[in-house]
Amino acid sequence: MVHHLNLKNALTIVLAVTGLWLTTSAQTRSERFSQGSRSGYSNNRLSGTWRLNASRSDDPSAAAERATRNLDVNDRQRARENLLRRLGAPSALAIDRRGRTVTMASSRGPQVTFEADGIETSETLRNGHQRRTRSTISGERLTVRTSGDRGSDYQVVFEPLEGGRRLRVTRSLYTERLNQEVVARSVYDRVSDVAQLDLDRDPPDASPARGDFIVPDGAMLTARLTQQLSTKQSREGDRFTLNVIEPGQYRGAVIEGVVASSDRSGRVSGRAALTLDFERIRMRDGRTYGFAGTIENAALPNGENVRVDREGNVKEDDSQTSRTVSRSAIGGAIGALIGAIAGGGKGAAIGAAVGVGAGAGSVFIEGRDDLDLPSGTEISIRASAPR
């Protein structure tokens, strides 16, 4: 009996030293994750596909309410709406990390690939601002930070939790109206060990019908502003509408949008500029659809044309599931994926899906104190839609 116990103890010692413990088929995934260094994610816990766990994440509505409660009643609603557009987290993320090369996609937009090497890059935005972006990896912590465009500045940190079972995404968003950063934390559960980069899109609005596009890609619409927009008075987050006058099949429809940025002359290379983000189009019969597009021309009621910036930093390929961006444009691409860019969230999701980011339409006047687009200004818009 004693000899038998000694053999059993000896076998236990051998198994402990060699690490050859038997794992039964009943061992659960959570147990394997909890084993730390023996987990397959000990060296790459960022990679995988992640699904939002709303019960463990911050409530966007509560965060927006807290951030805007000290504003006066006239500003509170607009600031709250703008924050909500940026605080809503994508329902799914996919991350594939290989060294310092990271490929990322979300249910907000197609995949992008970037180097998290700590080197700062710079891009010129349509409103003339210089956006600076730095991406770094420290251990398993990935940080992306942009600055230079106060209405679009953000920092996002991706951190694996619980041995790789979960992922925490912390977004620090700057809003010019509040002159402060607003922090929102989202927690994701791992649903796949592999980064599934062709994620389904989140619906751009609570109403499923609004996720459809009725205006085909490339169609040209002319619409009139129904209210004045001015760099003197209009601010980030202000909403606007345009009445479509042609072509005939869309006459009487209403395009809804939001001011993504407003710059008075002297702040941006001596140019007064407005950046407009289109969201949806409401047809004469009341049906509402997603809408995105770029401004081709703007004519004031007196016949004067306003200069329109058509330069872009994002090139969409034909696949609709991947996006090629220049190294300098990574800040905007990642911001679109996580909903953090100015005019982001639902409106940006539409644009990002078809290669048109929020703020795709910019109008400029040089050599004046302010840009004034009176009610009745005719704006020509080339529609963008999934092909």
Side-chain angles (χ1 to χ4, degrees), residues 206-262:
S207 171
R210 292 179 179 176
D212 300 329
F213 285 75
I214 193 172
V215 182
D217 186 64
M220 184 70 73
L221 275 64
T222 301
R224 290 194 180 105
L225 270 175
T226 61
Q227 73 269 46
Q228 180 184 32
L229 293 178
S230 169
T231 53
K232 187 176 182 180
Q233 297 177 342
S234 301
R235 295 293 179 265
E236 169 199 336
D238 287 354
R239 307 196 65 81
F240 64 86
T241 57
L242 304 100
N243 289 332
V244 179
I245 57 177
E246 58 182 30
Q249 64 264 42
Y250 304 116
R251 184 177 296 118
V254 177
I255 296 173
E256 302 175 12
V258 66
V259 175
S261 67
S262 175

Side-chain angles (χ1 to χ4, degrees), residues 304-383:
E304 179 183 356
N305 286 325
V306 180
R307 192 170 75 82
V308 174
D309 180 10
R310 297 186 181 89
E311 295 180 359
N313 294 310
V314 179
K315 179 182 178 181
E316 186 84 7
D317 66 15
D318 293 332
S319 70
Q320 292 296 311
T321 60
S322 64
R323 193 189 338 182
T324 301
V325 298
S326 67
R327 178 179 173 85
S328 65
I330 287 300
I334 298 174
L337 289 182
I338 63 172
I341 58 177
K346 299 171 184 174
I350 297 173
V354 296
V356 181
S362 297
V363 288
F364 295 90
I365 285 184
E366 294 181 308
R368 296 187 181 180
D369 292 334
D370 285 291
L371 168 59
D372 183 25
L373 301 180
S375 175
T377 295
E378 292 190 3
I379 298 179
S380 299
I381 306 164
R382 186 173 300 280

Side-chain angles (χ1 to χ4, degrees), residues 42-351:
S42 59
N43 295 320
N44 193 4
R45 293 173 180 163
L46 277 171
S47 293
T49 303
W50 309 88
R51 184 69 58 180
L52 181 66
N53 187 329
S55 65
R56 291 175 173 263
S57 304
D58 290 345
D59 179 358
S61 296
E65 191 66 36
R66 287 194 301 270
T68 59
R69 60 189 173 189
N70 292 327
L71 295 178
D72 64 52
V73 65
N74 293 326
D75 283 341
R76 187 182 305 139
Q77 182 63 26
R78 288 183 294 183
R80 185 177 182 276
E81 288 180 359
N82 187 55
L83 267 180
L84 281 174
R85 289 161 53 85
R86 302 177 65 194
L87 288 172
S91 65
L93 289 171
I95 303 174
D96 181 20
R97 177 198 172 185
R98 303 188 181 188
R100 294 192 177 278
T101 301
V102 179
T103 300
M104 185 180 299
S106 83
S107 48
R108 289 289 174 86
Q111 70 188 58
V112 296
T113 299
F114 58 97
E115 296 295 322
D117 52 14
I119 299 175
E120 184 176 90
T121 63
S122 179
E123 61 179 307
T124 301
L125 305 180
R126 295 179 183 275
N127 60 11
H129 289 176
Q130 291 290 319
R131 175 189 284 143
R132 299 179 299 279
T133 303
R134 189 187 304 273
S135 304
T136 58
I137 284 182
S138 177
E140 290 295 325
R141 177 187 173 105
L142 169 64
T143 302
V144 180
R145 182 174 182 83
T146 72
S147 60
D149 186 29
R150 300 185 67 190
S152 301
D153 290 351
Y154 69 87
Q155 175 177 284
V156 58
V157 179
F158 303 85
E159 298 176 284
L161 303 175
E162 302 176 26
R165 292 178 58 200
R166 292 192 170 94
L167 178 74
R168 180 170 59 206
V169 180
T170 303
R171 292 176 298 162
S172 302
L173 311 177
Y174 181 86
T175 172
E176 192 169 17
R177 190 181 294 274
L178 297 176
N179 196 32
Q180 68 176 7
E181 284 189 335
V182 180
V183 178
R185 296 175 179 85
S186 304
V187 176
Y188 291 78
D189 297 327
R190 182 187 290 276
V191 295
S192 175
D193 305 342
V194 179
Q196 299 170 352
L197 297 167
D198 55 344
L199 296 170
D200 293 334
R201 299 273 187 263
D202 286 340
D205 199 273
S207 171
R210 292 179 179 176
D212 300 329
F213 285 75
I214 193 172
V215 182
D217 186 64
M220 184 70 73
L221 275 64
T222 301
R224 290 194 180 105
L225 270 175
T226 61
Q227 73 269 46
Q228 180 184 32
L229 293 178
S230 169
T231 53
K232 187 176 182 180
Q233 297 177 342
S234 301
R235 295 293 179 265
E236 169 199 336
D238 287 354
R239 307 196 65 81
F240 64 86
T241 57
L242 304 100
N243 289 332
V244 179
I245 57 177
E246 58 182 30
Q249 64 264 42
Y250 304 116
R251 184 177 296 118
V254 177
I255 296 173
E256 302 175 12
V258 66
V259 175
S261 67
S262 175
D263 291 292
R264 305 188 72 178
S265 180
R267 290 181 56 191
V268 185
S269 304
R271 300 181 297 180
L274 282 169
T275 305
L276 310 180
D277 176 18
F278 306 114
E279 291 185 324
R280 60 185 65 94
I281 184 169
R282 187 172 67 252
M283 306 304 291
R284 291 189 299 268
D285 60 8
R287 291 177 298 165
T288 304
Y289 301 86
F291 183 80
T294 54
I295 295 177
E296 295 287 325
N297 185 63
L300 304 181
N302 63 7
E304 179 183 356
N305 286 325
V306 180
R307 192 170 75 82
V308 174
D309 180 10
R310 297 186 181 89
E311 295 180 359
N313 294 310
V314 179
K315 179 182 178 181
E316 186 84 7
D317 66 15
D318 293 332
S319 70
Q320 292 296 311
T321 60
S322 64
R323 193 189 338 182
T324 301
V325 298
S326 67
R327 178 179 173 85
S328 65
I330 287 300
I334 298 174
L337 289 182
I338 63 172
I341 58 177
K346 299 171 184 174
I350 297 173

